[in-house]
């Protein structure tokens, strides 16, 4: 009988009443790969490596490579953070004009993702450390000046307060006029409010961000290895009704005019950058906020989703960042920050060389042709439509990092590196938006696939799946929904497993392609 049996058709055994119902599944040969269609694997889209050499310039490339080696993290996390660092330095002080009449400011919004324990904090701290040092140096240097100004302002305010009381008591009009003139003189002579310069924050509300932009020349960045800013964007402090216009306008450089009873902010060209290193779960939660997608907020981010190397690191390896590389990196950043503190209000505008412009237009045309109806990028056309603008911003930052503040044009070399990075980022964005579009069942299905791959399982029972992941699947219904999804996506096939003296149990065969893809 065995020779005639199709082991893939277990319906043959359904009505058998042989002695004690022999166990038949465990002796069944594996299903051959050609009989299975290609599976649709949840959350398994592979993303290309983003190497540090896309940065080009030695002092930034060397630092990113050294940090990646020291922390044993994918270089993509360092590349993303470094771009946000450069944007923090140059945004609001420079713009780029790729075509006559069309300008791009230089803010960069970047998100790098990694699982818990992936050393995101180490990467962020290493690359942002010069900013911490610069802010402290500026605060120490300006402390006497700030103390003097604050004292003068405090005295002037008290004097004005007393003069106002005197004016209210004065019975003679000429006396009141004289006091009013003295109040006016005190206000005009009172020094302007002064603060130690800041260049970044970790977390703040929209209202506080408006004030930070006003206080610090219209420039600010959010650099963080936590996802609290997304809770703020979702309206944690505003009953779920946050106004995110300040964030959106600060990416585009559009003027901000806020006149409310509790807030007044006028900024002609705000510039805000993001450098975020987040866990995947935080990004997924953000994707569930439809308003983020509808307002174009998610389309403004550049997504870096490298394959994690957690579980493959050498715990005995200790390679600190070489001191010479660290010193050169800090010296360059602080030099830029010091040199640009007193930059003119109007940003300096860089243009593109002819070769750089053609390289950039090739990218723009390639994307445009593939983001319409039925196009390759139709599902992320809101994101790809902003990619050429992001590419020219990145090219300008790379040019400034290499040439310095005297740069006049963006070179072909800088543009080619930016375009290369832009092309690498497309599959990262596709993976991110695929994740943003997933529901809880997709996440559960992805967890099952991970378990199958880790154990290289060809088949399993529902009970085995629940026991192996009991922390996730406390409910059989939740597990069954994920298994049904995987069946629909040709990852699994259900069958009945018969055991001696026991009722049949539900089991699943695994598509071999799902284990090897």
């Amino acid at each position: 009988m065995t020779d005639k049996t199709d082991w893939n058709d277990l319906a043959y055994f359904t009505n058998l009443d042989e002695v004690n119902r022999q166990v038949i599944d465990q002796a069944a040969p594996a299903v051959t790969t050609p009989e299975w269609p290609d599976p649709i694997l949840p959350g398994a889209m592979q993303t290309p490596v983003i190497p540090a050499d896309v940065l080009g310039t030695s002092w930034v490339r060397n630092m990113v490579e050294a940090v990646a080696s020291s922390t044993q993290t994918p270089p993509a996390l360092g590349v993303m953070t470094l771009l946000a660092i450069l944007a923090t330095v140059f945004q609001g002080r420079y713009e780029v004009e790729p075509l006559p009449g069309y300008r791009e400011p230089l803010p960069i919004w970047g998100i790098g993702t990694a699982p818990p324990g992936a050393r995101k904090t180490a990467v962020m701290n290493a690359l942002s450390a010069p900013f911490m040092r610069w802010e402290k140096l500026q605060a120490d240097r300006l402390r006497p000046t700030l103390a003097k100004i604050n004292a003068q302002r405090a005295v002037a305010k008290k004097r004005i307060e007393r003069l106002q009381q005197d004016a209210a008591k004065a019975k003679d009009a000429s006396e009141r006029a004289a006091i009013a003139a003295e109040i006016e003189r005190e206000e005009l002579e009172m020094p302007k409010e002064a603060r130690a310069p800041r260049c970044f924050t970790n977390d703040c509300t929209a209202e506080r961000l408006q004030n930070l932009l006003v206080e610090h020349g219209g420039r600010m960045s959010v650099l963080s290895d936590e996802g609290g800013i997304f809770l703020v964007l979702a309206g944690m402090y505003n009953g779920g009704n946050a106004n995110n216009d300040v964030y959106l306008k600060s990416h585009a450089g559009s003027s901000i005019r806020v006149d409310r009873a509790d807030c007044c902010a006028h900024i002609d060209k705000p510039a805000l950058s993001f450098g975020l290193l987040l866990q995947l779960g935080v990004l997924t939660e953000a994707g569930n906020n439809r308003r983020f997608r509808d307002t174009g907020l998610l389309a403004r981010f550049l997504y870096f989703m490298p394959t994690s190397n957690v579980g493959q690191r050498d715990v005995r390896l200790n390679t600190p960042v070489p001191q010479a590389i660290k010193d050169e990196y800090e010296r360059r950043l602080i030099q830029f920050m010091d040199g640009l503190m007193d930059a003119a209000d109007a940003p300096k505008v860089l243009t593109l060389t002819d070769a750089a412009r053609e390289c950039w237009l090739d990218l723009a045309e390639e994307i445009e042709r593939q983001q319409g109806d039925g196009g390759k990028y139709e599902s992320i056309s809101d994101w790809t439509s902003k990619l050429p603008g992001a590419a020219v911003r990145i090219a300008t930052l790379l040019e400034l990092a290499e040439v310095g503040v005297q740069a006049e044009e963006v070179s072909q070399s800088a543009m080619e590196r930016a375009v290369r990075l832009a092309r690498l980022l497309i599959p990262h964005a596709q993976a991110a938006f695929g994740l943003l579009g997933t529901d809880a069942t997709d996440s559960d299905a992805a967890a099952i696939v991970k378990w199958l791959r880790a154990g290289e399982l060809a088949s399993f029972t529902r009970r085995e799946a629940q026991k192996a992941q009991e922390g996730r699947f406390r409910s059989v219904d939740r597990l069954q929904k994920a298994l049904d999804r995987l069946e629909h996506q040709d990852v699994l096939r259900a069958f009945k497993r018969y055991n001696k003296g026991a009722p049949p149990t539900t089991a699943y065969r695994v598509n071999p392609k799902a284990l090897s893809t």
Side-chain angles (χ1 to χ4, degrees):
M1 182 182 70
T2 303
D3 293 340
K4 298 179 181 179
T5 300
D6 181 359
W7 287 94
N8 298 320
D9 184 9
L10 293 184
Y12 175 88
F13 294 93
T14 302
N15 296 317
L16 286 182
D17 193 21
E18 297 177 344
V19 179
N20 293 327
R21 285 186 171 173
Q22 300 290 322
V23 177
I24 61 172
D25 173 67
Q26 296 174 359
V31 179
T32 57
T33 300
E35 296 179 7
W36 288 85
D38 290 334
I40 302 172
L41 296 174
M45 182 174 180
Q46 296 297 308
T47 53
V49 172
I50 297 178
D53 63 16
V54 297
L55 299 171
T57 309
S58 61
W59 68 274
V60 291
R61 184 188 68 243
N62 291 346
M63 185 62 178
V64 169
E65 288 176 342
V67 169
S69 176
S70 176
T71 58
Q72 297 187 62
T73 54
L77 300 182
V79 171
M80 187 286 300
T81 306
L82 196 281
L83 289 175
I85 295 289
L86 292 178
T88 301
V89 172
F90 295 113
Q91 65 183 0
R93 298 172 169 110
Y94 291 85
E95 291 181 352
V96 58
E97 189 173 66
L99 296 170
Y102 164 44
R103 290 186 183 179
E104 282 281 354
L106 298 188
I108 292 291
W109 288 17
I111 289 180
T113 61
R119 300 171 181 166
K120 300 182 294 295
T121 300
V123 173
M124 180 63 72
N125 288 348
L127 292 172
S128 63
F131 285 162
M132 301 284 288
R133 177 168 169 74
W134 181 81
E135 289 185 352
K136 184 178 185 306
L137 288 172
Q138 293 299 318
D140 290 344
R141 181 177 66 84
L142 293 173
R143 182 173 287 112
T145 301
L146 294 177
K148 181 178 180 180
I149 290 174
N150 289 336
Q152 290 174 342
R153 285 179 58 83
V155 170
K157 287 179 180 179
K158 284 295 184 182
R159 181 166 173 76
I160 290 171
E161 183 179 334
R162 185 180 62 77
L163 289 170
Q164 288 172 337
Q165 293 173 350
D166 291 344
K169 297 175 183 176
K171 297 180 180 180
D172 183 80
S174 60
E175 183 183 358
R176 286 196 299 272
I179 296 174
E182 193 172 352
I183 291 174
E184 181 181 354
R185 184 169 57 255
E186 288 286 348
E187 289 181 340
L188 291 173
E189 292 177 354
M190 182 169 57
K192 291 183 179 180
E193 190 173 5
R195 296 177 177 82
R198 293 268 309 278
C199 57
F200 79 102
T201 181
N202 298 133
D203 190 1
C204 66
T205 64
E207 291 73 22
R208 180 56 188 146
L209 176 61
Q210 289 168 354
N211 291 335
L212 284 172
L213 288 167
V214 169
E215 294 165 6
H216 300 285
R219 298 177 291 268
M220 188 52 56
S221 287
V222 178
L223 306 176
S224 179
D225 58 344
E226 299 294 344
I229 190 64
F230 276 114
L231 297 177
V232 174
L233 291 168
M236 178 174 68
Y237 301 114
N238 304 84
N241 296 309
N243 182 351
N244 294 327
D245 286 355
V246 62
Y247 298 98
L248 301 175
K249 286 179 175 291
S250 297
H251 179 272
S254 302
S255 64
I256 294 175
R257 292 289 184 272
V258 177
D259 295 284
R260 302 196 192 108
D262 59 343
C263 180
C264 180
H266 293 178
I267 312 162
D268 289 337
K269 287 193 173 184
L272 171 71
S273 287
F274 280 102
L276 306 176
L277 296 179
L278 308 177
Q279 296 178 12
L280 283 173
V282 175
L283 187 59
T284 303
E285 185 176 349
N288 292 330
N289 188 320
R290 184 65 197 179
R291 186 160 55 91
F292 285 177
R293 187 76 184 265
D294 291 343
T295 60
L297 188 141
L298 293 179
R300 285 166 165 79
F301 282 98
L302 300 176
Y303 299 93
F304 295 71
M305 303 187 65
T307 301
S308 171
N309 58 1
V310 172
Q312 303 173 32
R313 297 170 296 191
D314 185 349
V315 298
R316 289 183 170 80
L317 184 64
N318 179 26
T319 54
V321 176
Q323 193 63 44
I325 290 177
K326 187 187 299 185
D327 289 346
E328 174 72 0
Y329 175 73
E330 180 172 299
R331 182 185 68 80
R332 294 267 193 165
L333 280 184
I334 289 181
Q335 186 178 57
F336 281 137
M337 294 297 291
D338 286 342
L340 293 170
M341 268 194 67
D342 300 322
D345 292 336
K348 180 179 178 180
V349 180
L350 275 66
T351 57
L352 308 185
T353 64
D354 291 341
R357 185 178 299 105
E358 284 304 310
C359 180
W360 176 71
L361 288 172
D362 286 344
L363 172 70
E365 184 175 26
E366 173 188 324
I367 290 172
E368 183 64 25
R369 295 290 176 266
Q370 299 186 71
Q371 63 181 3
D373 291 343
K376 184 177 179 182
Y377 306 138
E378 179 185 7
S379 64
I380 58 168
S381 60
D382 54 339
W383 184 86
T384 51
S385 65
K386 297 184 182 299
L387 186 57
V392 80
R393 294 184 185 199
I394 291 171
T396 307
L397 293 173
L398 297 181
E399 184 74 20
L400 288 165
E402 183 170 7
V403 177
V405 296
Q406 68 271 24
E408 299 289 340
E409 291 182 315
V410 177
S411 66
Q412 180 181 2
S413 174
M415 183 59 73
E416 286 175 345
R417 294 196 301 273
V419 166
R420 177 188 170 202
L421 175 57
R423 289 196 170 102
L424 288 172
L425 286 175
I426 292 173
H428 284 255
Q430 290 172 322
F433 279 98
L435 179 69
L436 294 175
T438 60
D439 55 19
T441 302
D442 279 331
S443 298
D444 289 343
I448 292 173
V449 170
K450 269 192 174 181
W451 170 65
L452 295 174
R453 286 181 159 182
E456 298 182 348
L457 301 178
S459 65
F460 64 95
T461 66
R462 187 171 61 189
R463 178 178 175 80
E464 289 169 345
Q466 185 175 22
K467 185 170 180 59
Q469 302 177 81
E470 57 186 354
R472 175 183 288 268
F473 297 117
R474 299 185 183 279
S475 160
V476 175
D477 289 341
R478 178 175 174 176
L479 171 62
Q480 192 59 55
K481 286 181 181 179
L483 294 171
D484 291 344
R485 180 72 57 87
L486 290 173
E487 271 201 276
H488 180 70
Q489 294 174 337
D490 295 314
V491 177
L492 305 176
R493 284 180 184 166
F495 66 92
K496 293 295 183 182
R497 175 177 287 175
Y498 292 92
N499 298 285
K500 181 179 178 180
T505 57
T506 300
Y508 295 86
R509 282 198 179 85
V510 182
N511 185 339
K513 295 180 181 179
L515 300 176
S516 60
T517 302

